[in-house]
Amino acid sequence: MTTYSVMDALLASPENPLPEHKRERQLVMMFEALNNLEKAPEPTRQDWERVNDVVLLMDALLGMKVVQDPDGLIGDAADALGKASERAVNGKPIRLDGPGLQSVRNILTDYAEVLSALPARTMIQAHRKAEHAAAKLMKRRK
C-alpha cells in the first residue's frame, strides 16, 4: 500500500508546498527517529525506516533532477544506514557511526529545507518513487 496515489499527485499544488501541518508532522517524526538512532537504548526498526525513507526521498528528488548532491551525501547517508542495518542483523542495536550520523543529519536538514520550498506535487511524486524504491529493497531482503 502506498501513502499517495497518482490522483493525489495530480491534485496536489504544482506551486505551493505541502500544508504546514503535514510538513511539521514529517519533520518531527524524522528527527525523533534520528535522535533515537543516536541516543535511545534500543532504537527500533521503525526509527531506521523513518530515517531511511528521508534518504530515499532525497535520492528520488535527485533522480528527478530537482536537487543536486555534489558532495555525495545521499550515498554516504545510504551507506551509513546500510551499516546500521547490518549491525541489527548481527544482534547489535541499530546505530550510526560518527561520520554516518553526520551524513544522515545533513540529509535530514537538507530535506527539511526542500520540504518547505518545493511544490506539494513534486514532493508527492518523490514520495511515490521513494516508496517504490523501499519496496524493492524489502523484496531483495526476503
Side-chain angles (χ1 to χ4, degrees), residues 19-37:
E20 187 173 349
H21 71 277
K22 287 186 178 188
R23 293 190 318 255
E24 183 66 27
R25 182 172 177 255
Q26 275 189 42
L27 296 175
V28 166
M29 285 180 8
M30 72 183 207
F31 279 108
E32 281 179 355
L34 179 61
N35 186 60
N36 289 343
L37 289 178

Side-chain angles (χ1 to χ4, degrees), residues 42-60:
E42 292 292 326
T44 68
R45 191 80 186 160
Q46 185 178 40
D47 294 324
W48 182 91
E49 288 171 355
R50 285 183 175 162
V51 173
N52 191 61
D53 286 347
V54 176
V55 175
L56 290 173
L57 279 161
M58 288 296 284
D59 190 55

Side-chain angles (χ1 to χ4, degrees), residues 21-114:
H21 71 277
K22 287 186 178 188
R23 293 190 318 255
E24 183 66 27
R25 182 172 177 255
Q26 275 189 42
L27 296 175
V28 166
M29 285 180 8
M30 72 183 207
F31 279 108
E32 281 179 355
L34 179 61
N35 186 60
N36 289 343
L37 289 178
E38 183 179 8
K39 298 176 182 173
E42 292 292 326
T44 68
R45 191 80 186 160
Q46 185 178 40
D47 294 324
W48 182 91
E49 288 171 355
R50 285 183 175 162
V51 173
N52 191 61
D53 286 347
V54 176
V55 175
L56 290 173
L57 279 161
M58 288 296 284
D59 190 55
L61 289 166
L62 180 66
M64 293 166 65
K65 301 194 184 320
V66 176
V67 300
Q68 296 179 352
D69 185 25
D71 298 326
L73 287 177
I74 295 170
D76 292 347
D79 290 345
L81 287 163
K83 289 177 188 173
S85 182
E86 286 176 24
R87 284 186 191 92
V89 169
N90 294 323
K92 299 176 183 173
I94 303 172
R95 292 274 180 236
L96 296 165
D97 60 19
L101 182 62
Q102 191 58 46
S103 295
V104 171
R105 184 176 283 122
N106 288 340
I107 290 298
L108 269 61
T109 300
D110 289 350
Y111 179 75
E113 291 177 23
V114 165

